[in-house]
Amino acid sequence: MRAAHTPLTRASEVPYETLCQFLYQEARLLDQRKFGQWNDLFAEGGMYWIPLEEDQEDPLNHLSLAYEDSMMRQVRINRLNHDRAWSQKPRSRTSHTVSAIVVEAVCEVSNQLIVGSAFTMAEWRSFGLRTFAGLYTHTLRVTDGRLQIVEKRVDLIDSSEAFEPIEVFI
Amino acid sequence: MDIQQLIREDEVHRDVYVSEDVFALEMDRIFGTAWIYVGHDSQIPDPGDYWTTRIGLESVVMARGKRDEINVFYNRCPHKGARIAADGCGHTKGLFRCPYHAWTFNLDGTLKGVPYLDGYENTRFDMADPRFSLKKVARVASYRGFVFASLSETAADFESFIAGIKSSLDNFCDRAPNGTVSVAGGVFRVVQRSNWKIFFENLNDTGHPIATHESSYRAARQYADEELGGELPFELHIIDGNGAPPKFWSDLDLHAFDFGHSYMTAIFNAPDDPLSQAYFASLSAKVGEDRAKEILGVNRHNTIIYPSCSPHTSFQQWRVIRPLSVDRTLVEIFTFRLDGAPEELLQRTFTYSNVVNSPSSIVMTDDVHVYAECQKGLATQGGDWVSQHRNAGQDLPFSGADGGEIGVGTSELPIRNQFRAWREYMTSDVAETIPLQSSEP
Ligand code: FES
Ligand SMILES: [Fe+2]
């Protein structure tokens, strides 16, 4: 995805509007079930992470609701697209709202930015409508003139609650 | 109709899953008498540590006392009834204090202090009367750190309850170089829209993976074929396992024991990689190579300790099943560290659990879905009886060390066995007649 017309070079020079557009586009790809394109937004080795605890620092030495590399994301996508994904009949429909986008840090050396935002995701399933809410923390890198996701961290405000299965990406 | 009429040797009446009256009776006769898993002693290592959980529909607190003993009491203040401890883990310094009027209690639950004590002079209130202390559950017992409690003074003793399935608890702990395990990494909690027994039946039901989990094992294989030349890394190997051919499943063994317990032999072998070798070395260093081989040779998939929990001995998972209502069940998943094993082994345990047991597992979601479909279907007028006929009458007594009965891997033995225990619990008291929601014409 090319969010700006001119290729990006420095993390510190990415216009705020470009960052907003990137996060909105990312959410929209999920809502449109364009999962493959969504997965392509990640940098090589990029991770999708939903911690289990508030302020969880470590994805390896603790359980996480999800901690997925490109392989596990793609397997999830393959399943969502499979005919016999029983629990996806009818399939999930989602609507994301992303707001309060702030640049939290810029690192010149790694050419990365950390962007915080608030989100809600409404999801309709066979058992009705439910809502997820929380904070996103995107670690973004400028590579090949565009933004890539190094890590998408999803902190649900009820992360340690009991859940019914979560199937799509939040 | 009475309880006896809800159960035949090879089928059960749908009311056992959908009747509110049956559920209420279960809370009384099963969860009110059986040995129910409360927690592990590593969750409360020091005096003042506590863990709040449930036995049936009762809120209870497991607390470490001053003399290091473990107490389990009802979470109910004897004054006006407020719960004295919030859900989950916590620590208190020396005493529990009720948040409402500040009555205080020692760590063993006995009443310690009451504000405005002079107001109780010449009343029937008595500090020493146990009814003004936190009420202890009838019996508490533990085996290798796993704490169980029974709300009944008179039901079966813990030794007889656990005897058949003890070998799984032993293997769970023997796998640790130090011989002990400890809870680590947090708790997954999943809500199911189905009766608690449906989950138990599924745990040793090898007839379901090929059908239920097709979307996830195909997704894993697709990735392996497209990206990895057919090779399956650890995570994909786990998901792919459900797609094994029918013969694989029937070649497994199922073992069933008194009180509804059972286990199935393993579907995964430990990977042979540097981490597994380092772990084997750490175990051998403590117990010797032969013993280490013997311990790891006991390779089991789900063990069932009916009616409250299910350990997975070779991946250090422990699922706790808490009925919420006739059609709602909470499953809590704990992971354990093998004390003395390399720390990276615990990371692998977490990886396994993230894939298989997390609320966002791409495997479990189809299980939870079909359970809910059963619950919906059973509420219809489409038939009163639920089949348990697969390999009925073909299970055999097992002459090996554990005893019990043995069946081919695809037998519905564990399910029939659970209902034998269910019937015993449910009819152990006076044979009471209860109104049923549905009846045959
Ligand atoms: S309810 Fe506990 S002190 Fe009053
Ligand atoms: Fe399953």
Side-chain angles (χ1 to χ4, degrees):
Chain A
M1 182 177 57
R2 196 160 285 261
H5 295 290
T6 34
L8 304 169
T9 50
R10 307 243 31 96
S12 56
E13 288 162 10
V14 180
Y16 177 73
E17 205 190 314
T18 305
L19 291 173
C20 295
Q21 181 79 354
F22 182 84
L23 294 199
Y24 296 150
Q25 292 275 19
E26 190 231 310
R28 192 166 173 82
L29 288 173
L30 289 176
D31 291 340
Q32 295 175 321
R33 286 180 79 101
K34 294 179 179 165
F35 298 127
Q37 283 181 52
W38 173 80
N39 204 12
D40 288 342
L41 297 180
F42 283 79
E44 175 119 14
M47 299 300 292
Y48 166 75
W49 183 24
I50 315 178
L52 179 61
E53 313 287 348
E54 190 179 358
D55 302 326
Q56 185 176 329
E57 279 174 15
D58 185 343
L60 296 178
N61 294 290
H62 197 283
L63 295 171
S64 294
L65 289 170
Y67 186 60
E68 298 183 351
D69 58 10
S70 79
M71 173 178 85
M72 292 310 290
R73 292 192 302 271
Q74 188 57 49
V75 172
R76 181 180 294 278
I77 294 166
N78 291 351
R79 177 186 173 270
L80 286 168
N81 292 332
H82 196 275
D83 258 6
R84 290 183 174 165
W86 308 117
S87 61
Q88 281 290 297
K89 292 175 188 298
R91 65 190 202 174
S92 296
R93 291 178 66 184
T94 63
S95 163
H96 283 78
T97 303
V98 183
S99 65
I101 299 169
V102 293
V103 177
E104 297 206 306
V106 181
C107 174
E108 291 284 357
V109 181
S110 59
N111 217 17
Q112 294 185 359
L113 313 103
I114 296 175
V115 182
S117 58
F119 75 92
T120 56
M121 182 185 92
E123 183 194 26
W124 177 75
R125 290 277 305 271
S126 56
F127 50 75
L129 195 65
R130 64 174 170 175
T131 308
F132 295 92
L135 302 177
Y136 285 146
T137 308
H138 284 79
T139 305
L140 303 175
R141 182 165 72 204
V142 179
T143 308
D144 301 335
R146 66 187 184 107
L147 289 166
Q148 291 187 321
I149 303 172
V150 174
E151 181 181 272
K152 177 182 180 179
R153 174 178 174 138
V154 181
D155 281 290
L156 294 170
I157 55 174
D158 55 354
S159 62
S160 50
E161 216 359 304
F163 289 99
E164 297 195 63
I166 301 167
E167 296 186 65
V168 293
F169 302 99
I170 297 174
Chain B
M1 208 196 266
D2 66 21
I3 286 293
Q4 299 283 8
Q5 279 176 277
L6 295 176
I7 297 209
R8 298 171 180 166
E9 217 157 278
D10 48 15
E11 52 193 355
V12 292
H13 193 277
R14 69 189 180 96
D15 276 353
V16 308
Y17 305 101
V18 301
S19 157
E20 305 263 4
D21 297 322
V22 170
F23 182 80
L25 206 62
E26 286 177 339
M27 291 307 107
D28 195 28
R29 294 200 177 160
I30 303 181
F31 291 86
T33 65
W35 287 96
I36 301 297
Y37 180 70
V38 179
H40 189 262
D41 67 6
S42 64
Q43 290 170 274
I44 50 167
D46 299 313
D49 289 343
Y50 63 89
W51 165 247
T52 305
T53 182
R54 301 154 63 103
I55 296 178
L57 300 180
E58 305 292 328
S59 178
V60 298
V61 182
M62 169 175 92
R64 176 80 68 176
K66 279 220 165 66
R67 285 166 292 104
D68 232 27
E69 84 285 7
I70 289 178
N71 304 293
V72 181
F73 39 77
Y74 292 85
N75 196 5
R76 188 246 192 233
C77 177
H79 180 217
K80 298 239 185 291
R83 299 204 317 161
I84 52 116
D87 285 332
C89 261
H91 177 80
T92 178
K93 278 210 179 73
L95 48 81
F96 287 99
R97 196 176 94 145
C98 178
Y100 200 178
H101 310 93
W103 285 26
T104 53
F105 306 89
N106 295 307
L107 298 178
D108 64 1
T110 51
L111 183 61
K112 183 169 168 120
V114 174
Y116 310 107
L117 195 57
D118 49 359
Y120 290 93
E121 273 169 34
N122 302 318
T123 71
R124 293 196 295 146
F125 171 85
D126 174 5
M127 290 276 299
D129 184 340
R131 77 190 178 93
F132 297 108
S133 285
L134 295 169
K135 183 179 171 186
K136 285 196 172 186
V137 302
R139 292 181 296 170
V140 180
S142 79
Y143 185 67
R144 299 195 73 162
F146 301 103
V147 181
F148 291 77
S150 161
L151 302 183
S152 154
E153 294 285 1
T154 54
D157 61 286
F158 183 69
E159 261 310 304
S160 347
F161 170 82
I162 206 70
I165 207 65
K166 225 175 183 176
S167 60
S168 280
L169 296 183
D170 283 330
N171 191 248
F172 200 101
C173 299
D174 289 346
R175 286 172 169 259
N178 297 355
T180 57
V181 296
S182 40
V183 171
V187 191
F188 282 143
R189 303 167 77 226
V190 177
V191 176
Q192 307 173 346
R193 293 180 187 241
S194 46
N195 186 270
W196 64 276
K197 296 186 292 302
I198 293 179
F199 181 73
F200 268 105
E201 291 171 35
N202 179 264
L203 284 165
N204 281 173
D205 177 351
T206 58
H208 89 282
I210 300 179
T212 304
H213 297 300
E214 184 171 345
S215 66
S216 52
Y217 67 73
R218 293 242 185 260
R221 278 182 199 177
Q222 183 188 341
Y223 187 89
D225 289 344
E226 288 173 0
E227 307 288 337
L228 306 171
E231 212 169 296
L232 295 162
F234 178 66
E235 293 95 323
L236 300 193
H237 173 66
I238 290 166
I239 301 172
D240 177 72
N242 284 319
K247 182 168 162 25
F248 171 86
W249 301 103
S250 42
D251 281 351
L252 298 172
D253 286 337
L254 292 168
H255 292 256
F257 307 94
D258 288 350
F259 292 92
H261 311 323
S262 60
Y263 69 79
M264 62 188 272
T265 48
I267 59 178
F268 303 116
N269 292 315
D272 185 26
D273 59 358
L275 174 55
S276 300
Q277 288 153 12
Y279 160 56
F280 181 74
S282 72
L283 185 58
S284 303
K286 284 286 174 73
V287 301
E289 223 171 89
D290 290 346
R291 176 69 184 133
K293 277 188 188 143
E294 188 182 11
I295 290 167
L296 298 180
V298 180
N299 192 4
R300 295 177 182 176
H301 199 56
N302 298 326
T303 286
I304 288 169
I305 305 179
Y306 196 72
S308 68
C309 59
S310 173
H312 192 297
T313 49
S314 33
F315 281 113
Q316 293 83 51
Q317 317 281 304
W318 189 288
R319 284 182 274 196
V320 181
I321 294 83
R322 305 289 190 212
L324 300 176
S325 66
V326 68
D327 58 0
R328 284 291 153 113
T329 303
L330 172 68
V331 176
E332 295 185 313
I333 299 112
F334 296 82
T335 45
F336 285 79
R337 166 189 286 113
L338 296 178
D339 297 335
E343 202 61 17
E344 296 76 30
L345 195 76
L346 183 60
Q347 295 183 356
R348 180 185 284 173
T349 297
F350 292 144
T351 301
Y352 173 84
S353 207
N354 285 350
V355 171
V356 172
N357 283 322
S358 162
S360 73
S361 162
I362 64 167
V363 179
M364 184 175 51
T365 180
D366 284 313
D367 286 314
V368 174
H369 174 79
V370 294
Y371 307 157
E373 291 303 302
C374 287
Q375 193 70 30
K376 286 183 201 160
L378 290 168
T380 70
Q381 301 293 322
D384 276 342
W385 293 94
V386 180
S387 164
Q388 302 172 353
H389 294 91
R390 204 163 65 232
N391 299 90
Q394 296 164 33
D395 307 311
L396 298 167
F398 181 58
S399 53
D402 295 339
E405 269 185 288
I406 185 169
V408 297
T410 41
S411 173
E412 282 172 331
L413 164 65
I415 300 174
R416 292 187 290 271
N417 187 56
Q418 284 162 32
F419 275 98
R420 284 201 285 264
W422 189 88
R423 185 211 303 253
E424 255 175 59
Y425 280 120
M426 293 291 276
T427 57
S428 60
D429 224 357
V430 271
E432 193 180 303
T433 305
I434 54 157
L436 295 169
Q437 286 178 338
S438 67
S439 56
E440 287 171 299

